[in-house]
mmCIF file of all heavy atoms in Angstrom:
data_model
loop_
_atom_site.group_PDB
_atom_site.id
_atom_site.type_symbol
_atom_site.label_atom_id
_atom_site.label_comp_id
_atom_site.label_asym_id
_atom_site.label_seq_id
_atom_site.Cartn_x
_atom_site.Cartn_y
_atom_site.Cartn_z
ATOM 1 N N VAL A 1 -96.790 -92.772 -120.554
ATOM 2 C CA VAL A 1 -96.466 -93.079 -121.901
ATOM 3 C C VAL A 1 -95.356 -92.200 -122.427
ATOM 4 O O VAL A 1 -95.661 -90.995 -122.611
ATOM 5 C CB VAL A 1 -97.718 -93.061 -122.807
ATOM 6 C CG1 VAL A 1 -97.335 -93.256 -124.317
ATOM 7 C CG2 VAL A 1 -98.716 -94.085 -122.374
ATOM 8 N N ASN A 2 -94.194 -92.606 -122.553
ATOM 9 C CA ASN A 2 -93.044 -91.851 -123.096
ATOM 10 C C ASN A 2 -92.807 -90.511 -122.307
ATOM 11 O O ASN A 2 -92.508 -89.495 -122.848
ATOM 12 C CB ASN A 2 -93.210 -91.519 -124.609
ATOM 13 C CG ASN A 2 -93.325 -92.838 -125.413
ATOM 14 O OD1 ASN A 2 -92.740 -93.867 -125.018
ATOM 15 N ND2 ASN A 2 -94.129 -92.815 -126.486
ATOM 16 N N ALA A 3 -93.011 -90.595 -121.008
ATOM 17 C CA ALA A 3 -92.914 -89.338 -120.215
ATOM 18 C C ALA A 3 -91.427 -89.205 -119.810
ATOM 19 O O ALA A 3 -90.707 -90.055 -119.670
ATOM 20 C CB ALA A 3 -93.754 -89.489 -118.931
ATOM 21 N N PRO A 4 -91.094 -87.952 -119.660
ATOM 22 C CA PRO A 4 -89.603 -87.666 -119.191
ATOM 23 C C PRO A 4 -89.426 -88.307 -117.837
ATOM 24 O O PRO A 4 -90.324 -88.434 -116.975
ATOM 25 C CB PRO A 4 -89.584 -86.179 -119.033
ATOM 26 C CG PRO A 4 -90.645 -85.655 -119.996
ATOM 27 C CD PRO A 4 -91.783 -86.656 -119.854
ATOM 28 N N VAL A 5 -88.194 -88.808 -117.640
ATOM 29 C CA VAL A 5 -87.845 -89.459 -116.396
ATOM 30 C C VAL A 5 -88.152 -88.590 -115.155
ATOM 31 O O VAL A 5 -88.659 -89.027 -114.173
ATOM 32 C CB VAL A 5 -86.347 -89.841 -116.406
ATOM 33 C CG1 VAL A 5 -85.944 -90.351 -115.038
ATOM 34 C CG2 VAL A 5 -86.194 -91.039 -117.399
ATOM 35 N N GLU A 6 -87.749 -87.319 -115.281
ATOM 36 C CA GLU A 6 -88.045 -86.390 -114.142
ATOM 37 C C GLU A 6 -89.498 -86.336 -113.784
ATOM 38 O O GLU A 6 -89.888 -86.203 -112.647
ATOM 39 C CB GLU A 6 -87.444 -85.043 -114.461
ATOM 40 C CG GLU A 6 -87.657 -83.980 -113.439
ATOM 41 C CD GLU A 6 -87.131 -84.474 -112.041
ATOM 42 O OE1 GLU A 6 -86.107 -85.175 -111.919
ATOM 43 O OE2 GLU A 6 -87.714 -83.981 -111.036
ATOM 44 N N THR A 7 -90.339 -86.228 -114.828
ATOM 45 C CA THR A 7 -91.818 -86.205 -114.548
ATOM 46 C C THR A 7 -92.248 -87.411 -113.789
ATOM 47 O O THR A 7 -93.028 -87.307 -112.827
ATOM 48 C CB THR A 7 -92.611 -86.164 -115.932
ATOM 49 O OG1 THR A 7 -92.260 -84.953 -116.533
ATOM 50 C CG2 THR A 7 -94.107 -86.143 -115.649
ATOM 51 N N ILE A 8 -91.771 -88.559 -114.174
ATOM 52 C CA ILE A 8 -92.209 -89.819 -113.473
ATOM 53 C C ILE A 8 -91.681 -89.750 -111.981
ATOM 54 O O ILE A 8 -92.379 -90.030 -111.050
ATOM 55 C CB ILE A 8 -91.592 -90.973 -114.159
ATOM 56 C CG1 ILE A 8 -92.164 -91.131 -115.560
ATOM 57 C CG2 ILE A 8 -91.802 -92.332 -113.288
ATOM 58 C CD1 ILE A 8 -91.505 -92.221 -116.457
ATOM 59 N N CYS A 9 -90.464 -89.264 -111.794
ATOM 60 C CA CYS A 9 -89.805 -89.193 -110.426
ATOM 61 C C CYS A 9 -90.613 -88.190 -109.593
ATOM 62 O O CYS A 9 -90.835 -88.477 -108.382
ATOM 63 C CB CYS A 9 -88.398 -88.749 -110.564
ATOM 64 S SG CYS A 9 -87.330 -90.049 -111.295
ATOM 65 N N GLU A 10 -91.178 -87.115 -110.233
ATOM 66 C CA GLU A 10 -91.968 -86.189 -109.467
ATOM 67 C C GLU A 10 -93.209 -86.796 -108.900
ATOM 68 O O GLU A 10 -93.536 -86.604 -107.775
ATOM 69 C CB GLU A 10 -92.263 -84.956 -110.374
ATOM 70 C CG GLU A 10 -91.185 -84.010 -110.543
ATOM 71 C CD GLU A 10 -91.617 -82.965 -111.598
ATOM 72 O OE1 GLU A 10 -92.795 -82.878 -111.956
ATOM 73 O OE2 GLU A 10 -90.727 -82.166 -111.960
ATOM 74 N N ARG A 11 -93.833 -87.659 -109.763
ATOM 75 C CA ARG A 11 -95.108 -88.297 -109.260
ATOM 76 C C ARG A 11 -94.815 -89.243 -108.073
ATOM 77 O O ARG A 11 -95.570 -89.339 -107.167
ATOM 78 C CB ARG A 11 -95.731 -89.072 -110.466
ATOM 79 C CG ARG A 11 -96.156 -88.244 -111.662
ATOM 80 C CD ARG A 11 -97.268 -87.266 -111.456
ATOM 81 N NE ARG A 11 -96.831 -86.053 -110.933
ATOM 82 C CZ ARG A 11 -96.260 -85.117 -111.530
ATOM 83 N NH1 ARG A 11 -96.001 -85.203 -112.894
ATOM 84 N NH2 ARG A 11 -95.797 -83.956 -110.929
ATOM 85 N N VAL A 12 -93.690 -89.914 -108.128
ATOM 86 C CA VAL A 12 -93.273 -90.799 -107.096
ATOM 87 C C VAL A 12 -93.071 -90.032 -105.801
ATOM 88 O O VAL A 12 -93.495 -90.329 -104.666
ATOM 89 C CB VAL A 12 -92.024 -91.689 -107.511
ATOM 90 C CG1 VAL A 12 -91.585 -92.448 -106.268
ATOM 91 C CG2 VAL A 12 -92.397 -92.599 -108.651
ATOM 92 N N ARG A 13 -92.251 -88.932 -105.942
ATOM 93 C CA ARG A 13 -91.936 -88.108 -104.758
ATOM 94 C C ARG A 13 -93.186 -87.461 -104.120
ATOM 95 O O ARG A 13 -93.230 -87.275 -102.936
ATOM 96 C CB ARG A 13 -90.981 -86.979 -105.185
ATOM 97 C CG ARG A 13 -89.557 -87.519 -105.455
ATOM 98 C CD ARG A 13 -88.549 -86.405 -105.486
ATOM 99 N NE ARG A 13 -88.766 -85.521 -106.578
ATOM 100 C CZ ARG A 13 -88.149 -85.577 -107.814
ATOM 101 N NH1 ARG A 13 -87.223 -86.566 -108.070
ATOM 102 N NH2 ARG A 13 -88.389 -84.743 -108.776
ATOM 103 N N GLU A 14 -94.215 -87.223 -104.947
ATOM 104 C CA GLU A 14 -95.398 -86.604 -104.449
ATOM 105 C C GLU A 14 -96.266 -87.632 -103.562
ATOM 106 O O GLU A 14 -97.111 -87.209 -102.848
ATOM 107 C CB GLU A 14 -96.306 -86.165 -105.595
ATOM 108 C CG GLU A 14 -95.798 -84.878 -106.196
ATOM 109 C CD GLU A 14 -96.470 -84.647 -107.567
ATOM 110 O OE1 GLU A 14 -97.257 -85.521 -108.068
ATOM 111 O OE2 GLU A 14 -96.209 -83.533 -108.161
ATOM 112 N N GLY A 15 -95.923 -88.809 -103.720
ATOM 113 C CA GLY A 15 -96.579 -89.900 -102.878
ATOM 114 C C GLY A 15 -97.855 -90.430 -103.422
ATOM 115 O O GLY A 15 -98.618 -91.117 -102.771
ATOM 116 N N SER A 16 -98.192 -90.015 -104.658
ATOM 117 C CA SER A 16 -99.505 -90.471 -105.225
ATOM 118 C C SER A 16 -99.447 -91.924 -105.777
ATOM 119 O O SER A 16 -100.446 -92.546 -106.031
ATOM 120 C CB SER A 16 -99.951 -89.560 -106.340
ATOM 121 O OG SER A 16 -99.006 -89.490 -107.399
ATOM 122 N N ILE A 17 -98.201 -92.412 -106.065
ATOM 123 C CA ILE A 17 -98.100 -93.766 -106.643
ATOM 124 C C ILE A 17 -97.066 -94.595 -105.844
ATOM 125 O O ILE A 17 -96.044 -94.045 -105.349
ATOM 126 C CB ILE A 17 -97.774 -93.735 -108.152
ATOM 127 C CG1 ILE A 17 -96.487 -92.926 -108.394
ATOM 128 C CG2 ILE A 17 -98.930 -93.116 -108.840
ATOM 129 C CD1 ILE A 17 -96.019 -92.943 -109.880
ATOM 130 N N ASP A 18 -97.201 -95.891 -105.925
ATOM 131 C CA ASP A 18 -96.363 -96.843 -105.244
ATOM 132 C C ASP A 18 -95.528 -97.691 -106.250
ATOM 133 O O ASP A 18 -94.653 -98.451 -105.941
ATOM 134 C CB ASP A 18 -97.117 -97.830 -104.423
ATOM 135 C CG ASP A 18 -98.054 -97.147 -103.480
ATOM 136 O OD1 ASP A 18 -97.547 -96.448 -102.523
ATOM 137 O OD2 ASP A 18 -99.298 -97.260 -103.558
ATOM 138 N N ALA A 19 -95.900 -97.511 -107.593
ATOM 139 C CA ALA A 19 -95.185 -98.251 -108.631
ATOM 140 C C ALA A 19 -95.303 -97.492 -109.940
ATOM 141 O O ALA A 19 -96.303 -96.708 -110.169
ATOM 142 C CB ALA A 19 -95.760 -99.703 -108.728
ATOM 143 N N VAL A 20 -94.438 -97.702 -110.804
ATOM 144 C CA VAL A 20 -94.412 -97.026 -112.108
ATOM 145 C C VAL A 20 -94.705 -98.032 -113.230
ATOM 146 O O VAL A 20 -94.066 -99.055 -113.335
ATOM 147 C CB VAL A 20 -93.090 -96.328 -112.384
ATOM 148 C CG1 VAL A 20 -92.892 -95.920 -113.815
ATOM 149 C CG2 VAL A 20 -92.861 -95.180 -111.420
ATOM 150 N N GLN A 21 -95.665 -97.732 -114.002
ATOM 151 C CA GLN A 21 -95.995 -98.579 -115.214
ATOM 152 C C GLN A 21 -95.629 -97.800 -116.481
ATOM 153 O O GLN A 21 -96.233 -96.708 -116.784
ATOM 154 C CB GLN A 21 -97.442 -98.895 -115.216
ATOM 155 C CG GLN A 21 -97.847 -99.776 -116.447
ATOM 156 C CD GLN A 21 -99.324 -100.202 -116.311
ATOM 157 O OE1 GLN A 21 -99.796 -100.634 -115.248
ATOM 158 N NE2 GLN A 21 -100.114 -100.110 -117.396
ATOM 159 N N LEU A 22 -94.722 -98.299 -117.292
ATOM 160 C CA LEU A 22 -94.277 -97.631 -118.501
ATOM 161 C C LEU A 22 -95.046 -98.223 -119.690
ATOM 162 O O LEU A 22 -94.830 -99.444 -120.046
ATOM 163 C CB LEU A 22 -92.771 -97.791 -118.696
ATOM 164 C CG LEU A 22 -91.904 -97.327 -117.559
ATOM 165 C CD1 LEU A 22 -90.402 -97.735 -117.782
ATOM 166 C CD2 LEU A 22 -92.048 -95.831 -117.391
ATOM 167 N N HIS A 23 -95.833 -97.526 -120.349
ATOM 168 C CA HIS A 23 -96.807 -98.022 -121.332
ATOM 169 C C HIS A 23 -96.468 -97.592 -122.680
ATOM 170 O O HIS A 23 -97.313 -97.692 -123.642
ATOM 171 C CB HIS A 23 -98.224 -97.755 -120.914
ATOM 172 C CG HIS A 23 -99.247 -98.846 -121.253
ATOM 173 N ND1 HIS A 23 -99.649 -99.675 -120.410
ATOM 174 C CD2 HIS A 23 -99.753 -99.194 -122.441
ATOM 175 C CE1 HIS A 23 -100.506 -100.568 -120.950
ATOM 176 N NE2 HIS A 23 -100.517 -100.282 -122.212
ATOM 177 N N GLY A 24 -95.309 -96.933 -122.932
ATOM 178 C CA GLY A 24 -94.952 -96.516 -124.236
ATOM 179 C C GLY A 24 -93.802 -97.195 -124.834
ATOM 180 O O GLY A 24 -93.799 -98.424 -124.833
ATOM 181 N N ASP A 25 -92.871 -96.415 -125.478
ATOM 182 C CA ASP A 25 -91.771 -97.067 -126.160
ATOM 183 C C ASP A 25 -90.525 -96.919 -125.341
ATOM 184 O O ASP A 25 -89.394 -96.897 -125.963
ATOM 185 C CB ASP A 25 -91.534 -96.288 -127.495
ATOM 186 C CG ASP A 25 -92.844 -96.328 -128.337
ATOM 187 O OD1 ASP A 25 -93.382 -97.399 -128.515
ATOM 188 O OD2 ASP A 25 -93.239 -95.200 -128.795
ATOM 189 N N GLU A 26 -90.609 -96.945 -124.003
ATOM 190 C CA GLU A 26 -89.487 -96.921 -123.137
ATOM 191 C C GLU A 26 -88.491 -98.038 -123.385
ATOM 192 O O GLU A 26 -88.877 -99.147 -123.704
ATOM 193 C CB GLU A 26 -89.955 -96.811 -121.739
ATOM 194 C CG GLU A 26 -90.854 -95.609 -121.380
ATOM 195 C CD GLU A 26 -92.316 -95.906 -121.608
ATOM 196 O OE1 GLU A 26 -92.677 -97.016 -122.095
ATOM 197 O OE2 GLU A 26 -93.131 -95.013 -121.471
ATOM 198 N N THR A 27 -87.154 -97.695 -123.180
ATOM 199 C CA THR A 27 -86.134 -98.691 -123.346
ATOM 200 C C THR A 27 -85.458 -99.146 -122.077
ATOM 201 O O THR A 27 -85.754 -98.540 -121.072
ATOM 202 C CB THR A 27 -85.059 -98.079 -124.327
ATOM 203 O OG1 THR A 27 -84.475 -96.962 -123.647
ATOM 204 C CG2 THR A 27 -85.777 -97.595 -125.608
ATOM 205 N N GLU A 28 -84.566 -100.107 -122.227
ATOM 206 C CA GLU A 28 -83.717 -100.493 -121.129
ATOM 207 C C GLU A 28 -82.984 -99.329 -120.480
ATOM 208 O O GLU A 28 -82.858 -99.198 -119.340
ATOM 209 C CB GLU A 28 -82.768 -101.534 -121.521
ATOM 210 C CG GLU A 28 -81.750 -102.024 -120.398
ATOM 211 C CD GLU A 28 -82.397 -102.621 -119.282
ATOM 212 O OE1 GLU A 28 -83.622 -103.125 -119.329
ATOM 213 O OE2 GLU A 28 -81.789 -102.729 -118.210
ATOM 214 N N ARG A 29 -82.566 -98.418 -121.287
ATOM 215 C CA ARG A 29 -81.829 -97.238 -120.842
ATOM 216 C C ARG A 29 -82.762 -96.382 -119.944
ATOM 217 O O ARG A 29 -82.299 -95.869 -118.903
ATOM 218 C CB ARG A 29 -81.378 -96.443 -121.979
ATOM 219 C CG ARG A 29 -80.553 -95.136 -121.545
ATOM 220 C CD ARG A 29 -79.996 -94.429 -122.807
ATOM 221 N NE ARG A 29 -79.273 -93.245 -122.442
ATOM 222 C CZ ARG A 29 -78.623 -92.474 -123.283
ATOM 223 N NH1 ARG A 29 -78.694 -92.730 -124.609
ATOM 224 N NH2 ARG A 29 -78.018 -91.369 -122.836
ATOM 225 N N ASP A 30 -83.987 -96.189 -120.295
ATOM 226 C CA ASP A 30 -84.995 -95.430 -119.528
ATOM 227 C C ASP A 30 -85.136 -96.199 -118.131
ATOM 228 O O ASP A 30 -85.260 -95.552 -117.072
ATOM 229 C CB ASP A 30 -86.313 -95.373 -120.227
ATOM 230 C CG ASP A 30 -86.221 -94.578 -121.510
ATOM 231 O OD1 ASP A 30 -85.465 -93.525 -121.523
ATOM 232 O OD2 ASP A 30 -86.810 -95.016 -122.506
ATOM 233 N N ILE A 31 -85.327 -97.483 -118.196
ATOM 234 C CA ILE A 31 -85.519 -98.197 -117.009
ATOM 235 C C ILE A 31 -84.289 -98.069 -116.055
ATOM 236 O O ILE A 31 -84.471 -97.857 -114.817
ATOM 237 C CB ILE A 31 -85.745 -99.769 -117.273
ATOM 238 C CG1 ILE A 31 -87.143 -99.860 -118.018
ATOM 239 C CG2 ILE A 31 -85.779 -100.511 -116.047
ATOM 240 C CD1 ILE A 31 -87.379 -101.267 -118.650
ATOM 241 N N GLN A 32 -83.181 -98.196 -116.600
ATOM 242 C CA GLN A 32 -81.882 -97.992 -115.775
ATOM 243 C C GLN A 32 -81.829 -96.640 -115.169
ATOM 244 O O GLN A 32 -81.431 -96.457 -114.024
ATOM 245 C CB GLN A 32 -80.673 -98.249 -116.657
ATOM 246 C CG GLN A 32 -80.469 -99.683 -117.055
ATOM 247 C CD GLN A 32 -80.186 -100.660 -115.821
ATOM 248 O OE1 GLN A 32 -79.739 -100.163 -114.806
ATOM 249 N NE2 GLN A 32 -80.456 -101.905 -115.970
ATOM 250 N N GLU A 33 -82.189 -95.614 -115.926
ATOM 251 C CA GLU A 33 -82.186 -94.283 -115.385
ATOM 252 C C GLU A 33 -83.197 -94.067 -114.216
ATOM 253 O O GLU A 33 -82.877 -93.398 -113.224
ATOM 254 C CB GLU A 33 -82.510 -93.235 -116.531
ATOM 255 C CG GLU A 33 -82.379 -91.773 -116.069
ATOM 256 C CD GLU A 33 -81.019 -91.331 -115.696
ATOM 257 O OE1 GLU A 33 -80.047 -91.945 -116.107
ATOM 258 O OE2 GLU A 33 -80.869 -90.394 -114.935
ATOM 259 N N LEU A 34 -84.296 -94.665 -114.326
ATOM 260 C CA LEU A 34 -85.334 -94.652 -113.302
ATOM 261 C C LEU A 34 -84.753 -95.352 -112.080
ATOM 262 O O LEU A 34 -85.006 -94.885 -110.922
ATOM 263 C CB LEU A 34 -86.604 -95.204 -113.705
ATOM 264 C CG LEU A 34 -87.502 -94.374 -114.658
ATOM 265 C CD1 LEU A 34 -88.691 -95.210 -115.237
ATOM 266 C CD2 LEU A 34 -88.087 -93.168 -113.887
#
């Protein structure tokens, strides 16, 4: 929920998740950055 892009990327790199669910006010710009 409205997490920094880098935080989300860290969780992916750690291998704990296979997909990202954005449940806050994230925008198209956030999606593009990810």
Side-chain angles (χ1 to χ4, degrees):
V1 175
N2 301 328
V5 167
E6 179 55 32
T7 298
I8 297 172
C9 293
E10 285 177 5
R11 301 292 82 80
V12 174
R13 288 194 294 265
E14 288 166 354
S16 62
I17 57 175
D18 307 296
V20 168
Q21 180 177 315
L22 304 175
H23 216 100
D25 305 308
E26 300 87 2
T27 65
E28 174 65 18
R29 182 176 179 178
D30 297 317
I31 294 171
Q32 291 292 339
E33 185 61 28
L34 284 168

